[in-house]
Amino acid sequence: MSRAAPVLAASALSGRRIYVTGAGSGIGRAIACRAAALGATVGGCGRQAATLGATARMIADQGGVFTYDVCDVRDADAMRAALHAFAGDTGIDGLVNNAGGQFAMRAEAISPNGFAAVVDLNLNAVFNTTRAAHDLMPRGGAVVNLSICPAGRGGLGLAHAVAARSGVAGLMHALALEWGARGIRVNGVAPAAVETPAFVAAYSAEAARALGAATPLGRNASAGEVAEVVAFLLSDAAALITGQLIRVDGGAFLGAPIDLRPPHKETFA
């Protein structure tokens, strides 16, 4: 059940063209649905046509517009083509870099290829997609990057993800400085645990409750709560906000990090 409380006017994104990566499920789907409900024409991408089609039907049922591309955000050429097709002759007003992912692993066990793969998905793809969107924002616009709670403070079992997401935070600051004069704002949203269908499938009910209980506010976030903050950053209500990372984590950043490291296995010669 979503705890999201609508705070924006129903027409807050009316007339805007917003593109969301990873829009086929979870947080990305929630963002796409919320943007459409606020009046935006929404485009998105993902790797599964079936899940993207489900997002399209949800948005159509609420009277909105959603078009999508089946592509991998790591393919810079494909993403550039998808953004140009969505922009058409009018450009775009917002980009949400939501697609990403990582796996839990002790730092000493992460292979060079595993580290590079996480950095490619969570940092390189964000830069390439955002760079492509820059030229399609003639009126200015807003970029929102989804991050994770441990970015900026470290995490147990997420060294590769923390490195990549911290890189995105640095990129956000640099682009906010460079592109501000063009009216392009760049911000980030960092949730802790979000109770999406993928989260529910990955964690037992007991483990999910434990993750929420470890935060000062005592619960996990819903995808709708994250989507509402993203929509705010896309809107004119956030017209003077740029270069900021907003944590939607119940205060998890203030406490001890959750240990996601797999059990340690000693090896002896």
Side-chain angles (χ1 to χ4, degrees), residues 110-204:
I110 300 172
S111 69
N113 285 342
F115 189 91
V118 170
V119 170
D120 193 32
L121 175 59
N122 295 290
L123 175 57
N124 297 343
V126 169
F127 172 75
N128 290 331
T129 303
T130 307
R131 172 65 186 85
H134 169 275
D135 297 338
L136 302 173
M137 293 183 168
R139 302 175 296 276
V143 176
V144 182
N145 302 319
L146 269 291
S147 186
I148 57 175
C149 173
R153 75 144 188 211
L156 299 169
L158 295 173
H160 45 1
V162 169
R165 307 284 192 162
S166 297
V168 172
L171 177 65
M172 172 190 73
H173 293 142
L175 297 183
L177 285 169
E178 287 199 33
W179 295 355
R182 291 199 62 232
I184 298 175
R185 299 181 294 105
V186 187
N187 292 292
V189 174
V194 182
E195 294 188 347
T196 62
F199 174 88
V200 172
Y203 291 92
S204 67

Side-chain angles (χ1 to χ4, degrees), residues 19 21 45 71-73 75-84 129:
Y19 198 90
T21 69
C45 68
C71 59
D72 190 325
V73 292
D75 186 335
D77 290 337
M79 285 306 304
R80 186 180 303 109
L83 284 167
H84 275 266
T129 303

Side-chain angles (χ1 to χ4, degrees), residues 20-61:
V20 183
T21 69
S25 61
I27 297 172
R29 173 179 285 170
I31 293 168
C33 288
R34 186 62 180 136
L38 292 169
T41 296
V42 184
C45 68
R47 290 186 289 178
Q48 302 289 335
T51 58
L52 288 164
T55 300
R57 289 190 293 275
M58 290 178 184
I59 291 176
D61 287 345

Side-chain angles (χ1 to χ4, degrees), residues 84-111:
H84 275 266
F86 177 68
D89 296 328
T90 59
I92 65 175
D93 302 287
L95 168 68
V96 181
N97 287 306
N98 165 74
Q102 54 273 321
F103 54 91
M105 183 66 65
R106 290 178 176 269
E108 66 272 21
I110 300 172
S111 69

